[in-house]
Amino acid sequence: MTNYSIQLYSIRDLSAKDFPAAIKAAAEIGYSAIEFAGFFGYEAETVKKLLDENNIAVSGTHTGWQELTDENIDKTIAYHKTIGNKYIIVPGGDFSTKEKLDAFIELIKKASPKLKAEGITLGYHNHSHEFVPNTDGLYIFDELFNRTDIALELDTFWAYAADKDPVGLMEKIGDRLIFIHLKDGIKATREGRTVGNGDAPVVKVIEKAIEMNVPMVVESETLKPDGVTEAKNCMEFLRQLGK
């Protein structure tokens, strides 16, 4: 079966209380790697030790753009190199005006080469608002795609919720697609569901990701009844699917 990473936000109810236990749980469920969404105050050396002890890798991190400014980027690089992370992914932001979007694009153009020189790829993770016009009529996804060389992590459910075809977007992004977020939900209500229990085209997405050799990161956000159970249910579906 294909290896899957998990976005640790999926089990944030546990990671916020017991970060080491959350890492252990992800490994025990059968995920091969973790995509972090914060480190809850833990030093980089401790995070690396927890990964090694549980025989689980880091696939990437969701890191706010604020950590890539001139005053913070060196510290950010050092932390991520210590834990063995090669992918820093900005998980969205407020780019509702041309001014804000232009400033972020300039940050990308400055930070990306510096990260690349240290063996780290800079990526961006979408929600749904990137596919509708901002207040100045700009489509954030198109602006980032056309004006920068930033890598992309496609959140396939949020693309679907924005009336986009996630498989078609995967093909369009091509070599710049570093990960997908494998996520499910109900389009009409935008309610999250465990993988396989919504109406998103998850099987087609999985098949395209395998065809393109794009790593998949499972995310399930609703904590029903809790994050660990959701993460287990997602993995069970993927095992039954045999992909």
Side-chain angles (χ1 to χ4, degrees):
M1 192 183 84
T2 301
N3 290 326
Y4 294 91
S5 174
I6 185 170
Q7 166 51 254
L8 207 61
Y9 184 77
S10 304
I11 52 177
R12 62 194 178 280
D13 52 341
L14 177 58
S15 58
K17 295 184 295 185
D18 192 338
F19 187 61
I23 293 174
K24 183 178 181 181
E28 289 178 342
I29 292 168
Y31 292 98
S32 63
I34 288 172
E35 182 180 81
F36 288 100
F39 300 102
F40 301 93
Y42 281 78
E43 297 292 334
E45 293 78 9
T46 303
V47 175
K48 182 64 168 66
K49 183 180 179 183
L50 289 168
L51 291 167
D52 291 345
E53 287 175 350
N54 290 283
N55 194 30
I56 192 167
V58 51
S59 61
T61 68
H62 276 194
T63 298
W65 63 262
Q66 298 88 347
E67 301 304 311
L68 303 175
T69 59
D70 288 343
E71 58 268 30
N72 292 326
I73 192 167
D74 289 338
K75 182 171 64 175
T76 299
I77 288 170
Y79 192 107
H80 288 256
K81 288 182 74 172
T82 297
I83 68 171
N85 179 42
K86 296 183 179 180
Y87 296 94
I88 289 178
I89 301 161
V90 176
D94 176 10
F95 311 126
S96 56
T97 66
K98 183 178 187 300
E99 182 180 12
K100 292 176 179 178
L101 182 55
D102 286 348
F104 179 56
I105 287 173
E106 289 306 307
L107 178 69
I108 291 170
K109 291 179 177 179
K110 193 170 186 180
S112 186
K114 189 163 187 177
L115 293 170
K116 186 176 181 180
E118 298 291 343
I120 299 172
T121 296
L122 179 61
Y124 182 84
H125 167 273
N126 65 279
H127 291 82
S128 58
H129 67 273
E130 288 89 353
F131 299 104
V132 297
N134 69 5
T135 57
D136 288 317
L138 299 173
Y139 290 82
I140 296 167
F141 182 88
D142 290 344
E143 294 292 308
L144 294 177
F145 189 76
N146 295 325
R147 294 173 58 191
T148 78
D149 63 355
I150 195 168
L152 295 163
E153 175 181 67
L154 183 67
D155 188 303
T156 55
F157 175 71
W158 284 123
Y160 170 70
D163 289 326
K164 299 297 181 182
D165 171 21
V167 171
L169 276 172
M170 290 168 69
E171 293 173 341
K172 174 183 176 178
I173 296 168
D175 291 343
R176 288 170 65 178
L177 185 63
I178 50 171
F179 297 101
I180 64 159
H181 262 198
L182 186 63
K183 187 189 298 185
D184 209 347
I186 305 299
K187 184 178 186 178
T189 61
R190 300 166 68 89
E191 177 190 359
R193 296 285 179 87
T194 55
V195 175
N197 286 285
D199 54 30
V202 293
V203 175
K204 290 182 179 179
V205 164
I206 291 168
E207 290 172 347
K208 178 56 69 172
I210 291 171
E211 176 191 322
M212 294 178 66
N213 197 30
V214 175
M216 290 176 269
V217 180
V218 172
E219 184 174 33
S220 192
E221 298 183 335
T222 56
L223 303 178
K224 295 180 180 178
D226 59 79
V228 170
T229 301
E230 275 200 12
K232 287 179 179 177
N233 291 341
C234 289
M235 180 58 74
E236 183 60 27
F237 170 79
L238 295 169
R239 285 179 173 141
Q240 291 177 359
L241 195 63
K243 295 185 182 296

